Amino acid sequence: MLDSRRPSDGRAPTVPAAGRAAPGRLARLAGLCGPAFVVSVAYVDPGNFATNMAGGAQYGTMLLWVIAVANVLAMFVQALSAKLGIATGRNLPELCRDHLPRRVSLPLWVQAELVAAATDLAEFIGGAIALNLLFGVPLLPAAAITAVVSSILLMLAPRGRRRFEATVAALLAVVLAGFAYQVLLSGSLAGVAGGFVPRLAGPDSLLPATGIIGATVMPHVVYLHSALTQHQSVPGGPGENARREAVRASRMDIGVALGAAGLVNMAMLTVAAATFGGGDPGSLQAIHAGLGQVLGPGAAVAFALALLASGLASSSVGTYAGQIIMAGFLRRRVPLLARRLVTILPAMAVLASGVDPTRALVLSQVALSFGIPFALVPLVAFTSSRKLMGDLVNRRLTTVAGVAVAAVISALNAFLLVEVFTG
C-alpha cells in the first residue's frame, strides 16, 4: 500500500509560507482523505438495495429515520476504526492477534473470514443480477464477468492506493447519480420530512427496520478502515499533533463519504415508496421491472447501472478486506487475484443451484449481522486503552457511547437472526 505522505512524483513535501498556512493545512488534510470512500461502498452494496427498497415499498417513507440513525452509527464506528489505525500504526486484525490469547484470536479470524466470504457472495450476486438486467447475460456467466472486472480494480489496491480510492469513489458517484435521477423522475421528495420522525407501524415494521440497520453497519470494513489509515500522518508535524490532524482529516473524510452513502440509501427508500407504495416487489428483478413500468425505461436502466457499480466496487472492497483480515490475524498473505478465484466459488455454487438470488443476497446479510459484535467489541476495547492509543484514547463519554452502540447493534442483529430463522 502506498504511503500517502509523499507526493506522487516522489519529491519531498514543501512547507507552506507563513501567509499561506491555512491553504497548506487544508491541502494536507485533503491529502489524507480517501479511505472512507473505499469503506463507504459497503454501505450501498446490493444488500442495501434489497433492504431499503423493500422497506420503502412496504412502509413508504416512514423508515427514513432508521436510515439516518444507522448512518450516524456507521460514522461513529468507522471513526473509531480510522482513529485506531492512526494512533497505533496497526490495524484491528493485527491488534487482535497481538493482544488477545490465541484461543480467542483464531476463532475471531475464522468468523471474520466467513464474514468476508458472505460479503463477496452478496456482491457477486448483485453484479450478476445487474448484468442480467442490462444485457440479458445469464447469471453464471454474469458472475464470472463481475469477478473479472472487479479483479482489475483490485490490481490497483496494493500499489496504487490513490487510484483505487478514486476508482471506488467514481463508482459510488454512479450509484448516487442513478438514484438522484430516479428521485427526480418519481417526484419522491413529497412527504419526506415526516419520515424523519421516529415511529414504527407495529411489530411487523420492526423487522425491516432492523434489517436496514443490519445491512448498514458492515464488519468487514470495520477491519479494513483501520488498515487504510494505519500509515497516515501529517508531514512535518510533531508526532502527536500529526496524528491528531490525521484524525480530524479522517472525520472529514467519513462525513463526506458516508454522508453520500446515506443519501443514496435514503433515495433508494423514497423511490421505492413512490413507485411500489403498499407492497413488497419481492426481488431485485421485480423492482427493476416495476421501475420501468411506472417511471419509464430510463429509471430501470439507472437502477441496473447503479446496482452494477455497487456490485463491482463492493466486491473489490470485500476481497481486499479479506486480504487484510488474513494478513493481520495470521501473518499470511495470499495474492489478491488468487483470493478472488476462491471467493467467487460460493457465489457460482449458489447461482448454479437455482436458489433465488435475491433470497441468497438477503441471507448473506444475515451472516454479516452475525459478525458485527466480534468486530465492535475489540474495537471499543482497544480504542479505550491508553497504553495503545496514547493521547488519542477515547474519552469516557466516547467509550460509553461505543459500548452502547455495540450493545444496541448486536441486540438488533440478534433479533434479526431469530426472526429470519424462526419466521
Side-chain angles (χ1 to χ4, degrees), residues 100-132:
L100 297 176
R102 188 172 178 82
R103 65 179 181 275
V104 174
S105 65
L106 281 180
L108 279 179
W109 167 69
V110 172
Q111 67 80 32
E113 290 284 6
L114 292 174
V115 161
T119 301
D120 278 327
L121 174 65
E123 323 316 10
F124 281 129
I125 290 176
I129 292 173
L131 287 173
N132 176 261

PDB file of all heavy atoms in Angstrom, residues 100-132:
ATOM      1  N   LEU A 100      -4.658 -10.508  22.088  1.00  0.00           N
ATOM      2  CA  LEU A 100      -5.650 -11.465  22.577  1.00  0.00           C
ATOM      3  C   LEU A 100      -5.041 -12.852  22.609  1.00  0.00           C
ATOM      4  O   LEU A 100      -4.154 -13.167  21.807  1.00  0.00           O
ATOM      5  CB  LEU A 100      -6.891 -11.461  21.680  1.00  0.00           C
ATOM      6  CG  LEU A 100      -7.680 -10.147  21.606  1.00  0.00           C
ATOM      7  CD1 LEU A 100      -8.825 -10.276  20.608  1.00  0.00           C
ATOM      8  CD2 LEU A 100      -8.209  -9.741  22.973  1.00  0.00           C
ATOM      9  N   PRO A 101      -5.494 -13.715  23.527  1.00  0.00           N
ATOM     10  CA  PRO A 101      -4.990 -15.099  23.544  1.00  0.00           C
ATOM     11  C   PRO A 101      -5.272 -15.789  22.209  1.00  0.00           C
ATOM     12  O   PRO A 101      -6.263 -15.499  21.537  1.00  0.00           O
ATOM     13  CB  PRO A 101      -5.785 -15.755  24.685  1.00  0.00           C
ATOM     14  CG  PRO A 101      -6.304 -14.623  25.502  1.00  0.00           C
ATOM     15  CD  PRO A 101      -6.497 -13.467  24.586  1.00  0.00           C
ATOM     16  N   ARG A 102      -4.411 -16.704  21.856  1.00  0.00           N
ATOM     17  CA  ARG A 102      -4.555 -17.405  20.578  1.00  0.00           C
ATOM     18  C   ARG A 102      -5.891 -18.147  20.489  1.00  0.00           C
ATOM     19  O   ARG A 102      -6.506 -18.217  19.415  1.00  0.00           O
ATOM     20  CB  ARG A 102      -3.380 -18.385  20.394  1.00  0.00           C
ATOM     21  CG  ARG A 102      -3.335 -19.032  19.011  1.00  0.00           C
ATOM     22  CD  ARG A 102      -2.043 -19.828  18.832  1.00  0.00           C
ATOM     23  NE  ARG A 102      -2.002 -20.489  17.540  1.00  0.00           N
ATOM     24  CZ  ARG A 102      -1.648 -19.918  16.405  1.00  0.00           C
ATOM     25  NH1 ARG A 102      -1.317 -18.632  16.400  1.00  0.00           N
ATOM     26  NH2 ARG A 102      -1.622 -20.594  15.272  1.00  0.00           N
ATOM     27  N   ARG A 103      -6.356 -18.660  21.627  1.00  0.00           N
ATOM     28  CA  ARG A 103      -7.630 -19.381  21.607  1.00  0.00           C
ATOM     29  C   ARG A 103      -8.802 -18.442  21.319  1.00  0.00           C
ATOM     30  O   ARG A 103      -9.908 -18.902  20.988  1.00  0.00           O
ATOM     31  CB  ARG A 103      -7.845 -20.097  22.937  1.00  0.00           C
ATOM     32  CG  ARG A 103      -8.005 -19.191  24.135  1.00  0.00           C
ATOM     33  CD  ARG A 103      -8.227 -19.983  25.413  1.00  0.00           C
ATOM     34  NE  ARG A 103      -8.415 -19.126  26.570  1.00  0.00           N
ATOM     35  CZ  ARG A 103      -7.433 -18.624  27.297  1.00  0.00           C
ATOM     36  NH1 ARG A 103      -6.161 -18.909  27.001  1.00  0.00           N
ATOM     37  NH2 ARG A 103      -7.698 -17.847  28.343  1.00  0.00           N
ATOM     38  N   VAL A 104      -8.567 -17.139  21.452  1.00  0.00           N
ATOM     39  CA  VAL A 104      -9.593 -16.150  21.112  1.00  0.00           C
ATOM     40  C   VAL A 104      -9.368 -15.612  19.702  1.00  0.00           C
ATOM     41  O   VAL A 104     -10.315 -15.474  18.912  1.00  0.00           O
ATOM     42  CB  VAL A 104      -9.590 -14.991  22.130  1.00  0.00           C
ATOM     43  CG1 VAL A 104     -10.568 -13.888  21.697  1.00  0.00           C
ATOM     44  CG2 VAL A 104      -9.945 -15.504  23.521  1.00  0.00           C
ATOM     45  N   SER A 105      -8.127 -15.295  19.368  1.00  0.00           N
ATOM     46  CA  SER A 105      -7.847 -14.666  18.076  1.00  0.00           C
ATOM     47  C   SER A 105      -8.112 -15.599  16.900  1.00  0.00           C
ATOM     48  O   SER A 105      -8.575 -15.147  15.840  1.00  0.00           O
ATOM     49  CB  SER A 105      -6.402 -14.151  18.032  1.00  0.00           C
ATOM     50  OG  SER A 105      -5.479 -15.207  18.109  1.00  0.00           O
ATOM     51  N   LEU A 106      -7.846 -16.897  17.066  1.00  0.00           N
ATOM     52  CA  LEU A 106      -8.084 -17.815  15.958  1.00  0.00           C
ATOM     53  C   LEU A 106      -9.573 -17.946  15.616  1.00  0.00           C
ATOM     54  O   LEU A 106      -9.948 -17.860  14.436  1.00  0.00           O
ATOM     55  CB  LEU A 106      -7.475 -19.184  16.255  1.00  0.00           C
ATOM     56  CG  LEU A 106      -5.958 -19.291  16.041  1.00  0.00           C
ATOM     57  CD1 LEU A 106      -5.477 -20.698  16.371  1.00  0.00           C
ATOM     58  CD2 LEU A 106      -5.586 -18.926  14.609  1.00  0.00           C
ATOM     59  N   PRO A 107     -10.465 -18.142  16.596  1.00  0.00           N
ATOM     60  CA  PRO A 107     -11.902 -18.126  16.256  1.00  0.00           C
ATOM     61  C   PRO A 107     -12.356 -16.789  15.673  1.00  0.00           C
ATOM     62  O   PRO A 107     -13.225 -16.763  14.790  1.00  0.00           O
ATOM     63  CB  PRO A 107     -12.589 -18.408  17.593  1.00  0.00           C
ATOM     64  CG  PRO A 107     -11.572 -19.150  18.399  1.00  0.00           C
ATOM     65  CD  PRO A 107     -10.256 -18.562  18.002  1.00  0.00           C
ATOM     66  N   LEU A 108     -11.768 -15.694  16.163  1.00  0.00           N
ATOM     67  CA  LEU A 108     -12.106 -14.397  15.584  1.00  0.00           C
ATOM     68  C   LEU A 108     -11.726 -14.351  14.104  1.00  0.00           C
ATOM     69  O   LEU A 108     -12.465 -13.802  13.273  1.00  0.00           O
ATOM     70  CB  LEU A 108     -11.392 -13.265  16.337  1.00  0.00           C
ATOM     71  CG  LEU A 108     -12.012 -12.798  17.649  1.00  0.00           C
ATOM     72  CD1 LEU A 108     -11.162 -11.697  18.264  1.00  0.00           C
ATOM     73  CD2 LEU A 108     -13.440 -12.298  17.431  1.00  0.00           C
ATOM     74  N   TRP A 109     -10.562 -14.917  13.781  1.00  0.00           N
ATOM     75  CA  TRP A 109     -10.145 -14.954  12.382  1.00  0.00           C
ATOM     76  C   TRP A 109     -11.116 -15.787  11.546  1.00  0.00           C
ATOM     77  O   TRP A 109     -11.508 -15.372  10.448  1.00  0.00           O
ATOM     78  CB  TRP A 109      -8.736 -15.529  12.257  1.00  0.00           C
ATOM     79  CG  TRP A 109      -8.395 -15.886  10.832  1.00  0.00           C
ATOM     80  CD1 TRP A 109      -8.194 -15.017   9.804  1.00  0.00           C
ATOM     81  CD2 TRP A 109      -8.253 -17.204  10.289  1.00  0.00           C
ATOM     82  NE1 TRP A 109      -7.936 -15.719   8.646  1.00  0.00           N
ATOM     83  CE2 TRP A 109      -7.969 -17.050   8.913  1.00  0.00           C
ATOM     84  CE3 TRP A 109      -8.345 -18.481  10.838  1.00  0.00           C
ATOM     85  CZ2 TRP A 109      -7.772 -18.147   8.078  1.00  0.00           C
ATOM     86  CZ3 TRP A 109      -8.142 -19.578  10.009  1.00  0.00           C
ATOM     87  CH2 TRP A 109      -7.863 -19.404   8.653  1.00  0.00           C
ATOM     88  N   VAL A 110     -11.522 -16.931  12.055  1.00  0.00           N
ATOM     89  CA  VAL A 110     -12.437 -17.807  11.302  1.00  0.00           C
ATOM     90  C   VAL A 110     -13.745 -17.081  11.001  1.00  0.00           C
ATOM     91  O   VAL A 110     -14.218 -17.075   9.859  1.00  0.00           O
ATOM     92  CB  VAL A 110     -12.699 -19.113  12.080  1.00  0.00           C
ATOM     93  CG1 VAL A 110     -13.804 -19.921  11.399  1.00  0.00           C
ATOM     94  CG2 VAL A 110     -11.422 -19.942  12.180  1.00  0.00           C
ATOM     95  N   GLN A 111     -14.331 -16.446  12.023  1.00  0.00           N
ATOM     96  CA  GLN A 111     -15.598 -15.771  11.768  1.00  0.00           C
ATOM     97  C   GLN A 111     -15.401 -14.563  10.851  1.00  0.00           C
ATOM     98  O   GLN A 111     -16.284 -14.257  10.031  1.00  0.00           O
ATOM     99  CB  GLN A 111     -16.290 -15.377  13.089  1.00  0.00           C
ATOM    100  CG  GLN A 111     -15.619 -14.332  13.931  1.00  0.00           C
ATOM    101  CD  GLN A 111     -15.855 -12.920  13.452  1.00  0.00           C
ATOM    102  OE1 GLN A 111     -16.903 -12.601  12.908  1.00  0.00           O
ATOM    103  NE2 GLN A 111     -14.843 -12.060  13.639  1.00  0.00           N
ATOM    104  N   ALA A 112     -14.263 -13.877  10.955  1.00  0.00           N
ATOM    105  CA  ALA A 112     -14.005 -12.745  10.069  1.00  0.00           C
ATOM    106  C   ALA A 112     -13.874 -13.203   8.621  1.00  0.00           C
ATOM    107  O   ALA A 112     -14.335 -12.523   7.692  1.00  0.00           O
ATOM    108  CB  ALA A 112     -12.736 -12.015  10.510  1.00  0.00           C
ATOM    109  N   GLU A 113     -13.260 -14.355   8.403  1.00  0.00           N
ATOM    110  CA  GLU A 113     -13.157 -14.905   7.046  1.00  0.00           C
ATOM    111  C   GLU A 113     -14.540 -15.277   6.515  1.00  0.00           C
ATOM    112  O   GLU A 113     -14.845 -15.072   5.330  1.00  0.00           O
ATOM    113  CB  GLU A 113     -12.248 -16.130   7.031  1.00  0.00           C
ATOM    114  CG  GLU A 113     -10.766 -15.824   7.253  1.00  0.00           C
ATOM    115  CD  GLU A 113     -10.101 -15.238   6.011  1.00  0.00           C
ATOM    116  OE1 GLU A 113     -10.791 -14.968   5.012  1.00  0.00           O
ATOM    117  OE2 GLU A 113      -8.871 -15.042   6.036  1.00  0.00           O
ATOM    118  N   LEU A 114     -15.392 -15.827   7.372  1.00  0.00           N
ATOM    119  CA  LEU A 114     -16.751 -16.163   6.946  1.00  0.00           C
ATOM    120  C   LEU A 114     -17.538 -14.907   6.587  1.00  0.00           C
ATOM    121  O   LEU A 114     -18.319 -14.888   5.629  1.00  0.00           O
ATOM    122  CB  LEU A 114     -17.473 -16.940   8.057  1.00  0.00           C
ATOM    123  CG  LEU A 114     -16.924 -18.342   8.340  1.00  0.00           C
ATOM    124  CD1 LEU A 114     -17.626 -18.954   9.544  1.00  0.00           C
ATOM    125  CD2 LEU A 114     -17.080 -19.244   7.113  1.00  0.00           C
ATOM    126  N   VAL A 115     -17.317 -13.847   7.363  1.00  0.00           N
ATOM    127  CA  VAL A 115     -17.963 -12.569   7.070  1.00  0.00           C
ATOM    128  C   VAL A 115     -17.507 -12.055   5.709  1.00  0.00           C
ATOM    129  O   VAL A 115     -18.314 -11.591   4.887  1.00  0.00           O
ATOM    130  CB  VAL A 115     -17.648 -11.553   8.180  1.00  0.00           C
ATOM    131  CG1 VAL A 115     -17.889 -10.131   7.708  1.00  0.00           C
ATOM    132  CG2 VAL A 115     -18.490 -11.842   9.419  1.00  0.00           C
ATOM    133  N   ALA A 116     -16.189 -12.127   5.447  1.00  0.00           N
ATOM    134  CA  ALA A 116     -15.669 -11.670   4.160  1.00  0.00           C
ATOM    135  C   ALA A 116     -16.242 -12.497   3.013  1.00  0.00           C
ATOM    136  O   ALA A 116     -16.568 -11.973   1.940  1.00  0.00           O
ATOM    137  CB  ALA A 116     -14.144 -11.737   4.159  1.00  0.00           C
ATOM    138  N   ALA A 117     -16.384 -13.804   3.231  1.00  0.00           N
ATOM    139  CA  ALA A 117     -16.951 -14.674   2.194  1.00  0.00           C
ATOM    140  C   ALA A 117     -18.414 -14.323   1.935  1.00  0.00           C
ATOM    141  O   ALA A 117     -18.866 -14.310   0.774  1.00  0.00           O
ATOM    142  CB  ALA A 117     -16.823 -16.132   2.622  1.00  0.00           C
ATOM    143  N   ALA A 118     -19.162 -14.051   3.001  1.00  0.00           N
ATOM    144  CA  ALA A 118     -20.563 -13.656   2.837  1.00  0.00           C
ATOM    145  C   ALA A 118     -20.672 -12.339   2.084  1.00  0.00           C
ATOM    146  O   ALA A 118     -21.588 -12.141   1.268  1.00  0.00           O
ATOM    147  CB  ALA A 118     -21.234 -13.537   4.206  1.00  0.00           C
ATOM    148  N   THR A 119     -19.735 -11.440   2.345  1.00  0.00           N
ATOM    149  CA  THR A 119     -19.703 -10.168   1.622  1.00  0.00           C
ATOM    150  C   THR A 119     -19.519 -10.404   0.134  1.00  0.00           C
ATOM    151  O   THR A 119     -20.256  -9.865  -0.698  1.00  0.00           O
ATOM    152  CB  THR A 119     -18.547  -9.287   2.143  1.00  0.00           C
ATOM    153  OG1 THR A 119     -18.734  -9.065   3.535  1.00  0.00           O
ATOM    154  CG2 THR A 119     -18.516  -7.961   1.418  1.00  0.00           C
ATOM    155  N   ASP A 120     -18.532 -11.215  -0.215  1.00  0.00           N
ATOM    156  CA  ASP A 120     -18.275 -11.497  -1.630  1.00  0.00           C
ATOM    157  C   ASP A 120     -19.476 -12.161  -2.291  1.00  0.00           C
ATOM    158  O   ASP A 120     -19.798 -11.877  -3.455  1.00  0.00           O
ATOM    159  CB  ASP A 120     -17.041 -12.387  -1.777  1.00  0.00           C
ATOM    160  CG  ASP A 120     -15.747 -11.589  -1.706  1.00  0.00           C
ATOM    161  OD1 ASP A 120     -15.745 -10.438  -2.163  1.00  0.00           O
ATOM    162  OD2 ASP A 120     -14.750 -12.110  -1.193  1.00  0.00           O
ATOM    163  N   LEU A 121     -20.142 -13.042  -1.565  1.00  0.00           N
ATOM    164  CA  LEU A 121     -21.321 -13.708  -2.112  1.00  0.00           C
ATOM    165  C   LEU A 121     -22.371 -12.675  -2.516  1.00  0.00           C
ATOM    166  O   LEU A 121     -22.910 -12.721  -3.636  1.00  0.00           O
ATOM    167  CB  LEU A 121     -21.896 -14.674  -1.074  1.00  0.00           C
ATOM    168  CG  LEU A 121     -23.218 -15.352  -1.433  1.00  0.00           C
ATOM    169  CD1 LEU A 121     -23.033 -16.266  -2.637  1.00  0.00           C
ATOM    170  CD2 LEU A 121     -23.760 -16.138  -0.240  1.00  0.00           C
ATOM    171  N   ALA A 122     -22.656 -11.733  -1.631  1.00  0.00           N
ATOM    172  CA  ALA A 122     -23.671 -10.711  -1.922  1.00  0.00           C
ATOM    173  C   ALA A 122     -23.275  -9.851  -3.102  1.00  0.00           C
ATOM    174  O   ALA A 122     -24.094  -9.546  -3.979  1.00  0.00           O
ATOM    175  CB  ALA A 122     -23.892  -9.851  -0.679  1.00  0.00           C
ATOM    176  N   GLU A 123     -21.996  -9.457  -3.138  1.00  0.00           N
ATOM    177  CA  GLU A 123     -21.576  -8.522  -4.186  1.00  0.00           C
ATOM    178  C   GLU A 123     -21.555  -9.192  -5.556  1.00  0.00           C
ATOM    179  O   GLU A 123     -21.933  -8.591  -6.558  1.00  0.00           O
ATOM    180  CB  GLU A 123     -20.193  -7.920  -3.866  1.00  0.00           C
ATOM    181  CG  GLU A 123     -19.872  -7.613  -2.422  1.00  0.00           C
ATOM    182  CD  GLU A 123     -20.955  -6.929  -1.606  1.00  0.00           C
ATOM    183  OE1 GLU A 123     -22.101  -6.819  -2.059  1.00  0.00           O
ATOM    184  OE2 GLU A 123     -20.650  -6.510  -0.478  1.00  0.00           O
ATOM    185  N   PHE A 124     -21.080 -10.439  -5.611  1.00  0.00           N
ATOM    186  CA  PHE A 124     -21.081 -11.150  -6.887  1.00  0.00           C
ATOM    187  C   PHE A 124     -22.501 -11.341  -7.409  1.00  0.00           C
ATOM    188  O   PHE A 124     -22.768 -11.176  -8.603  1.00  0.00           O
ATOM    189  CB  PHE A 124     -20.402 -12.517  -6.749  1.00  0.00           C
ATOM    190  CG  PHE A 124     -18.898 -12.449  -6.748  1.00  0.00           C
ATOM    191  CD1 PHE A 124     -18.163 -13.078  -5.758  1.00  0.00           C
ATOM    192  CD2 PHE A 124     -18.219 -11.760  -7.731  1.00  0.00           C
ATOM    193  CE1 PHE A 124     -16.780 -13.019  -5.753  1.00  0.00           C
ATOM    194  CE2 PHE A 124     -16.836 -11.699  -7.743  1.00  0.00           C
ATOM    195  CZ  PHE A 124     -16.114 -12.333  -6.744  1.00  0.00           C
ATOM    196  N   ILE A 125     -23.398 -11.712  -6.507  1.00  0.00           N
ATOM    197  CA  ILE A 125     -24.783 -11.921  -6.921  1.00  0.00           C
ATOM    198  C   ILE A 125     -25.400 -10.608  -7.399  1.00  0.00           C
ATOM    199  O   ILE A 125     -26.093 -10.560  -8.426  1.00  0.00           O
ATOM    200  CB  ILE A 125     -25.600 -12.527  -5.765  1.00  0.00           C
ATOM    201  CG1 ILE A 125     -25.157 -13.979  -5.534  1.00  0.00           C
ATOM    202  CG2 ILE A 125     -27.089 -12.464  -6.066  1.00  0.00           C
ATOM    203  CD1 ILE A 125     -25.839 -14.648  -4.360  1.00  0.00           C
ATOM    204  N   GLY A 126     -25.133  -9.519  -6.674  1.00  0.00           N
ATOM    205  CA  GLY A 126     -25.653  -8.219  -7.088  1.00  0.00           C
ATOM    206  C   GLY A 126     -25.139  -7.810  -8.455  1.00  0.00           C
ATOM    207  O   GLY A 126     -25.909  -7.346  -9.317  1.00  0.00           O
ATOM    208  N   GLY A 127     -23.828  -7.982  -8.700  1.00  0.00           N
ATOM    209  CA  GLY A 127     -23.271  -7.644 -10.004  1.00  0.00           C
ATOM    210  C   GLY A 127     -23.825  -8.525 -11.108  1.00  0.00           C
ATOM    211  O   GLY A 127     -24.098  -8.053 -12.227  1.00  0.00           O
ATOM    212  N   ALA A 128     -24.014  -9.815 -10.809  1.00  0.00           N
ATOM    213  CA  ALA A 128     -24.552 -10.741 -11.802  1.00  0.00           C
ATOM    214  C   ALA A 128     -25.988 -10.367 -12.173  1.00  0.00           C
ATOM    215  O   ALA A 128     -26.364 -10.382 -13.354  1.00  0.00           O
ATOM    216  CB  ALA A 128     -24.493 -12.166 -11.264  1.00  0.00           C
ATOM    217  N   ILE A 129     -26.806 -10.027 -11.179  1.00  0.00           N
ATOM    218  CA  ILE A 129     -28.183  -9.614 -11.451  1.00  0.00           C
ATOM    219  C   ILE A 129     -28.196  -8.364 -12.326  1.00  0.00           C
ATOM    220  O   ILE A 129     -28.983  -8.245 -13.279  1.00  0.00           O
ATOM    221  CB  ILE A 129     -28.948  -9.374 -10.137  1.00  0.00           C
ATOM    222  CG1 ILE A 129     -29.154 -10.695  -9.393  1.00  0.00           C
ATOM    223  CG2 ILE A 129     -30.293  -8.705 -10.399  1.00  0.00           C
ATOM    224  CD1 ILE A 129     -29.765 -10.533  -8.007  1.00  0.00           C
ATOM    225  N   ALA A 130     -27.300  -7.406 -12.024  1.00  0.00           N
ATOM    226  CA  ALA A 130     -27.254  -6.170 -12.796  1.00  0.00           C
ATOM    227  C   ALA A 130     -26.914  -6.441 -14.259  1.00  0.00           C
ATOM    228  O   ALA A 130     -27.543  -5.882 -15.171  1.00  0.00           O
ATOM    229  CB  ALA A 130     -26.236  -5.210 -12.182  1.00  0.00           C
ATOM    230  N   LEU A 131     -25.911  -7.277 -14.515  1.00  0.00           N
ATOM    231  CA  LEU A 131     -25.550  -7.607 -15.895  1.00  0.00           C
ATOM    232  C   LEU A 131     -26.682  -8.344 -16.601  1.00  0.00           C
ATOM    233  O   LEU A 131     -26.918  -8.146 -17.804  1.00  0.00           O
ATOM    234  CB  LEU A 131     -24.266  -8.446 -15.913  1.00  0.00           C
ATOM    235  CG  LEU A 131     -22.976  -7.697 -15.594  1.00  0.00           C
ATOM    236  CD1 LEU A 131     -21.810  -8.675 -15.469  1.00  0.00           C
ATOM    237  CD2 LEU A 131     -22.672  -6.660 -16.666  1.00  0.00           C
ATOM    238  N   ASN A 132     -27.380  -9.187 -15.866  1.00  0.00           N
ATOM    239  CA  ASN A 132     -28.530  -9.881 -16.434  1.00  0.00           C
ATOM    240  C   ASN A 132     -29.636  -8.902 -16.822  1.00  0.00           C
ATOM    241  O   ASN A 132     -30.245  -9.015 -17.894  1.00  0.00           O
ATOM    242  CB  ASN A 132     -29.042 -10.908 -15.426  1.00  0.00           C
ATOM    243  CG  ASN A 132     -30.301 -11.614 -15.894  1.00  0.00           C
ATOM    244  OD1 ASN A 132     -31.399 -11.256 -15.491  1.00  0.00           O
ATOM    245  ND2 ASN A 132     -30.149 -12.611 -16.748  1.00  0.00           N
TER     246      ASN A 132
END
